[in-house]
Amino acid sequence: MPEWEQRFRAPRVGLPEWAEDAPDRSLFVSNATGTFELYAWDRGTGEQRQATDRPNGTTDGTLTPDGEWIWWFSDTDGDEFGVWMRQPFAGAAAGRDQPAASGLEASYPAGLALGRDGTAVVGRSTDEEGTTIHVVPPGGEPWVVYRHRESAGVGDVSYDGRLLAIEHTEHGDAMHSAVKVAVLGEHSEVFAELDDTEGGTEELGLEVLGFAPAAGDNRLLIAHQRRGRWEPAIWDPVAAEFTDLRLDLPGDVSAQWYPDATGLLIAHTYQARSELYRYDLASGSLSRLDTPPGTVSGATARPDGSVEFHWSSAAEPAVVRNDRGEVVLQAPGMKPPASRPVEDVWVDGPGGKIHALVQRPAGGSGDGPYPTIFDIHGGPTWHDSDAFAAGPAAWLDHGFAVVRVNYRGSTGYGREWTDALKHRVGLIELEDIGAVRQWAVESGLADPEKLVLSGGSWGGYLTLLGLGVQPDDWTLGLAAVPVADYVTAYHDEMEALKAMDRTLLGGTPEEVPERFEASSPLTYVDRVRAPVYISAGVNDPRCPIQQVENYVVRLQQRGHPHEVYRYDAGHGSLVVEERIKQLRLELDFALKHLGLQDRRG
């Protein structure tokens, strides 16, 4: 088996979540069976069992505070439209899976919070109703506590179950939320609100990080962008007190409570890497935890004071360990082979310095030039980091250099960088990608005759758009689950993404048709020169299949070289063999059209 396939097939585990009042009971995600599913883990006995088993996998789940129940989201073949189910932590012997919130019809999820008394707060999103948030009492009928056409979601419920925090975008800016707090009850009323978008300052948003985990404690941990980046603060909506923490760290800073509510676990992200700190609330001291250089993709503070985290680097596979140097959870079976380290490159661009991550293949001839793949991240509100990924490693194994660009729109470089793409969606990102492409060629890294533009989701969208807007720059394109026809995509996609598109483009296709036209790959399809490979999920609610078909028809009408692979899932696949198949098809397409041999089987 070639190493690139080993990296996909090697069993992996995610960061375990633990029940607040029964910390020995944990839930984690693993692909040990070849499909990503939820697993229950009793730390006291060491017993682990597979909790879900569905053809297309399951990753969305949580534990009730007492650890007695596992809640998991059940959709159909990856379409993200479904209902919450639950099962006893002890497994089938204690009872079968059952609907967790009787009386609520299927929807897209919009957050979930589980109270200690058995009450659940369930967020729902549908095209017909917008967002509704429901209180589901134990054994009773649910009632609506919040309703709005714009996107919103459940933030958190306080430790005593009395207060509910809601993130909302009633102001119409889906990129920047405000926060409301209500007293829970059949006649719930909002009594406090934080809205940093008031006064026309649309670029300021808030995020709910969680109520303090202590009885009678009304403090709510939030994140804000008042100084141009994400930072934590503490808000007591009852006492109307706001405490700005002002941590002296560059980049974005997030936080969560330690279980005794005396400190905060700080996650610090800067220039595509992350690290952890403990912040003591009494003294205001900040202490760095032992995290090696790379990326912490998740962390949690345990009741014994230890911190567990999921860590990897571009060269080293992921591990779940703690700040005491111990491996917490080990996946069974073979270990994934290591890959190549990442180099940081900063390139001058039209909007400022662009950060790119570069990997060079092993055993190459000198410093290049190499056939090079630009692997463009999705989101767009996301960023590439120094983290292990099987996809880029496969291209390195086949002799390619890999370049990943944190273009304008990416997170982690300040609010102004993230918000820069409004109204010229796609075109701004391509300016940055084009600047890094020019550097890659001029530096001798990339062979200009063997340049691949590739990505999934928003990265797939930028791939198709780039092939038409920059037709002379790319030798071929590989687009997975892309936006291809922006107008049709808008009308067919899930409601929350419609709200995001209205924010990005300043309105609907009927209100700003010129912006949708300028940002749609379909507009430029006749200019495409490079061979095009497209893969799409037939049940995808984010980048629906019909708009992809519209683009493919135009390629067919031109007789343009292309291949299309359609698979029976949603926005990507949770099945390992399916992921391998898709990457093998992409590799085959690229090697054929670039005139290269398959170096690694």
Side-chain angles (χ1 to χ4, degrees):
M1 185 190 306
E3 286 190 347
W4 76 266
E5 291 189 26
Q6 292 179 42
R7 294 190 192 95
F8 279 94
R9 290 198 174 96
R12 286 177 276 169
V13 293
L15 180 72
E17 172 194 340
W18 50 275
E20 295 176 63
D21 298 332
D24 275 353
R25 294 192 165 187
S26 293
L27 187 70
F28 64 90
V29 175
S30 178
N31 67 335
T33 63
T35 301
F36 286 89
E37 295 286 0
L38 296 171
Y39 287 75
W41 176 26
D42 188 324
R43 298 185 187 218
T45 65
E47 180 184 356
Q48 297 178 9
R49 70 170 184 86
Q50 184 177 339
T52 55
D53 184 8
R54 302 193 303 153
N56 285 299
T58 314
T59 57
D60 294 336
T62 191
L63 293 168
T64 54
D66 60 9
E68 292 296 317
W69 293 91
I70 297 170
W71 281 52
W72 59 276
F73 191 74
S74 175
D75 64 352
T76 303
D77 296 329
D79 66 358
E80 302 181 45
F81 194 85
V83 298
W84 286 98
M85 302 290 289
R86 70 172 189 166
Q87 67 173 256
F89 183 87
R96 295 178 178 274
D97 290 300
Q98 57 189 255
S102 297
L104 297 184
E105 296 181 354
S107 68
Y108 298 111
L112 174 72
L114 303 178
R116 281 172 167 74
D117 64 352
T119 298
V121 181
V122 180
R124 301 172 64 253
S125 173
T126 65
D127 292 343
E128 296 75 24
E129 297 180 90
T131 303
T132 55
I133 296 177
H134 305 253
V135 178
V136 185
E141 293 296 317
W143 71 82
V144 176
V145 68
Y146 177 87
R147 184 190 304 273
H148 202 278
R149 283 300 313 171
E150 297 292 344
S151 57
V154 178
D156 195 22
V157 171
S158 61
Y159 185 92
D160 57 14
R162 192 173 68 90
L163 303 179
L164 168 65
I166 299 170
E167 286 186 18
H168 72 86
T169 60
E170 294 176 7
H171 47 274
D173 183 348
M175 292 182 69
H176 304 96
S177 297
V179 178
K180 290 184 175 183
V181 176
V183 177
L184 271 181
E186 289 198 43
H187 303 289
S188 300
E189 291 186 5
V190 172
F191 71 91
E193 182 166 10
L194 276 183
D195 187 353
D196 281 4
T197 68
E198 291 181 342
T201 312
E202 295 183 355
E203 292 80 10
L204 297 175
L206 302 169
E207 181 182 352
V208 172
L209 301 178
F211 279 103
D217 195 334
N218 299 316
R219 292 177 298 170
L220 180 64
L221 187 63
I222 65 166
H224 66 86
Q225 301 182 85
R226 294 177 178 180
R227 286 183 290 273
R229 64 191 182 107
W230 284 109
E231 301 176 78
I234 296 175
W235 176 42
D236 186 329
V238 177
E241 295 177 351
F242 187 92
T243 304
D244 193 349
L245 299 180
R246 289 185 175 269
L247 303 182
D248 187 20
L249 295 170
D252 285 343
V253 182
S254 186
Q256 59 180 272
W257 297 95
Y258 270 79
D260 60 4
T262 64
L264 301 177
L265 175 59
I266 301 296
H268 172 227
T269 302
Y270 184 57
Q271 296 184 354
R273 292 167 182 85
S274 50
E275 57 185 356
L276 300 174
Y277 293 82
R278 176 186 164 89
Y279 179 78
D280 185 81
L281 289 168
S283 66
S285 61
L286 191 66
S287 306
R288 190 182 186 281
L289 304 182
D290 179 19
T291 52
T295 296
V296 175
S297 59
T300 181
R302 295 274 296 169
D304 64 359
S306 67
V307 172
E308 298 176 353
F309 56 93
H310 189 275
W311 174 91
S312 72
S313 71
E316 300 178 68
V319 62
V320 178
R321 53 165 290 186
N322 62 24
D323 60 330
R324 299 168 182 174
E326 303 163 333
V327 175
V328 173
L329 182 61
Q330 188 72 54
M334 66 178 178
K335 309 305 177 191
S339 187
R340 301 288 294 161
V342 71
E343 306 169 25
D344 297 277
V345 173
W346 293 87
V347 177
D348 289 328
K353 290 284 189 179
I354 307 161
H355 190 195
L357 304 175
V358 176
Q359 290 170 281
R360 301 171 189 263
S365 56
D367 294 326
Y370 305 104
T372 299
I373 181 168
F374 274 63
D375 185 20
I376 308 302
H377 73 73
T381 51
W382 189 247
H383 67 272
D384 276 315
S385 59
D386 182 6
F388 194 81
W395 290 96
L396 291 165
D397 284 1
H398 285 80
F400 285 74
V402 177
V403 179
R404 290 176 286 169
V405 182
N406 284 330
Y407 50 76
R408 277 173 290 171
S410 303
T411 54
Y413 300 88
R415 187 189 71 227
E416 185 177 348
W417 190 262
T418 301
D419 291 349
L421 54 79
K422 282 187 176 180
H423 299 174
R424 292 188 62 241
V425 174
L427 304 174
I428 284 178
E429 299 97 296
L430 288 176
E431 290 175 354
D432 292 349
I433 294 168
V436 177
R437 178 207 173 276
Q438 182 178 349
W439 165 85
V441 172
E442 292 179 351
S443 69
L445 172 75
D447 182 342
E449 303 301 319
K450 295 180 174 61
L451 273 172
V452 181
L453 186 59
S454 174
S457 190
W458 197 263
Y461 158 64
L462 292 176
T463 294
L464 295 184
L465 189 65
L467 295 179
V469 173
Q470 303 165 332
D472 297 328
D473 288 355
W474 308 104
T475 314
L476 64 85
L478 308 170
V481 290
V483 174
D485 169 2
Y486 217 141
V487 173
T488 301
Y490 175 86
H491 289 300
D492 290 352
E493 68 194 3
M494 58 201 302
E495 183 59 36
L497 290 183
K498 289 181 181 178
M500 178 62 77
D501 282 338
R502 290 194 297 271
T503 295
L504 289 172
L505 290 152
T508 68
E510 291 71 31
E511 294 166 339
V512 287
E514 71 287 350
R515 291 179 183 168
F516 275 83
E517 181 180 9
S519 293
S520 179
L522 189 65
T523 302
Y524 311 94
V525 65
D526 291 338
R527 298 177 57 191
V528 173
R529 297 181 183 177
V532 184
Y533 175 88
I534 298 175
S535 60
V538 297
N539 304 313
D540 191 345
R542 297 173 180 265
C543 299
I545 191 66
Q546 183 55 56
Q547 52 93 30
V548 173
E549 302 291 4
N550 293 348
Y551 188 90
V552 172
V553 167
R554 291 284 294 275
L555 291 177
Q556 291 171 338
Q557 290 172 344
R558 292 180 57 204
H560 189 79
H562 70 281
E563 293 181 16
V564 183
Y565 174 66
R566 304 167 183 85
Y567 57 94
D568 190 17
H571 199 62
S573 176
L574 299 176
V575 179
V576 171
E577 291 303 320
E578 176 62 34
R579 291 186 175 187
I580 292 172
K581 178 181 180 181
Q582 291 181 23
L583 187 53
R584 185 182 291 118
L585 289 170
E586 290 184 351
L587 285 165
D588 290 346
F589 185 85
L591 296 174
K592 178 180 70 174
H593 285 281
L594 296 178
L596 299 173
Q597 292 184 341
D598 190 339
R599 290 176 26 170
R600 301 296 176 93

